[in-house]
Amino acid sequence: MAQTPPIPDRESWPTGLSEQLEPLVRRVLAPNPSPYTFTGTQTYIVGAGREVAVLDPGPDGADGEGHVDAILAAVGDARIVAIVCTHTHRDHSPASRPLQAATGAPIIGCAPLAMEDDGPRADASFDALYLPDRVLSDGERLSGDGWTLEAVATPGHTSNHLCYSLVESGALFTGDHVMGWSTSVVSPPEGDMAAYMASLQRLHDREDRVLYPAHGPQIDNPRQLVRGMLGHRRQRERQIVRLLEDGGPHAIEEFVGAMYKGLDPRLNGAAGRSVLAHLIDLERQGRVRIEDERWMIHA
């Protein structure tokens, strides 16, 4: 992950208000800012007619206090016909249940994934209660009054991660796969660096007009940004190999100290998980090995 900027003030990113981004897309920001979520989780309302979809309903409980009410206020008299999730980290999918209870709308999208996660932050653990009414496969479509969403499989951040293309406008909702403020954490075992890189390449090869991430500002230059993200990950891999070639065996924390100068200490755990994901990928390639919790070049 890259060095992250400070969280902006609330006047710039108002919580709970409906913001019109384009004719078919509105955004409502959840009240869960953190060093990992930036200003918070962004819920998108898709559609301008009688039927709408709610994409990434966000957290529940204290981190999501008032968010479901804000979504319902933004939807108004329209009917929610789908509650759509990109993946099942706890800052994305838990509010699907109270929203379903309030509206009767089906939960549609990514597959369930319930497992223990020893990742860097509590809010990134998986939503074990997520139970979709319908799971979308790559390329499957979901439609309503004047809009069509198409699932785009993008494993890597998690194995069940989906992006969604808004066919009518050329927009792509990218969840945590591509964000406008930082690179995504790839945390094994569910985070897989090889899969993440392949998914990035897939998005680079598309022709989306704009990307709407779950965290941070919209991305108006998709291919340029994704190309930079691919280059950044390759540069991190080269750093790891150089450190092992020049300095001998390293533990994870030693990589973090050498590679992430000036990083907010609260993000050290996340950086370590992404380093581990790179090392696992290099190990699969036969380039490195581990012995007594220290990584070294494969002789």
Side-chain angles (χ1 to χ4, degrees), residues 174-251:
T174 57
D176 280 3
H177 182 63
V178 173
M179 299 185 289
W181 72 291
S182 174
T183 54
S184 182
V185 176
V186 180
S187 180
E190 262 308 299
D192 184 288
M193 188 59 70
Y196 180 73
M197 292 290 283
S199 294
L200 281 181
Q201 186 63 53
R202 182 180 189 190
L203 292 201
H204 178 269
D205 295 341
R206 292 174 55 89
E207 297 184 355
D208 300 297
R209 176 183 58 84
V210 61
L211 307 184
Y212 292 126
H215 309 282
Q218 71 183 55
I219 298 155
D220 296 314
N221 53 345
R223 298 190 80 178
Q224 179 181 337
L225 181 92
V226 174
R227 183 166 56 248
M229 293 176 70
L230 284 163
H232 171 74
R233 290 296 188 181
R234 291 171 183 139
Q235 188 264 343
R236 287 298 193 203
E237 181 181 283
R238 290 193 295 270
Q239 275 186 292
I240 289 169
V241 172
R242 282 200 305 269
L243 285 167
L244 294 178
E245 289 176 341
D246 297 342
H250 279 60

Side-chain angles (χ1 to χ4, degrees), residues 8-66:
D9 61 82
R10 276 305 187 202
E11 292 182 2
S12 302
W13 289 79
T15 299
L17 298 181
S18 176
E19 300 177 89
Q20 192 82 42
L21 303 181
E22 60 176 86
L24 289 175
V25 180
R26 287 167 281 166
R27 174 178 64 194
V28 181
L29 178 64
N32 62 326
S34 79
Y36 294 101
T37 61
F38 197 43
T39 59
T41 302
Q42 295 172 144
T43 296
Y44 293 97
I45 299 168
V46 178
R50 300 180 304 276
E51 299 175 335
V52 299
V54 173
L55 198 151
D56 272 348
D60 193 15
D63 283 344
E65 186 173 358

Side-chain angles (χ1 to χ4, degrees), residues 257-271:
M259 294 168 60
Y260 295 85
K261 302 294 186 182
L263 184 68
D264 183 334
R266 293 174 295 179
L267 301 177
N268 282 347

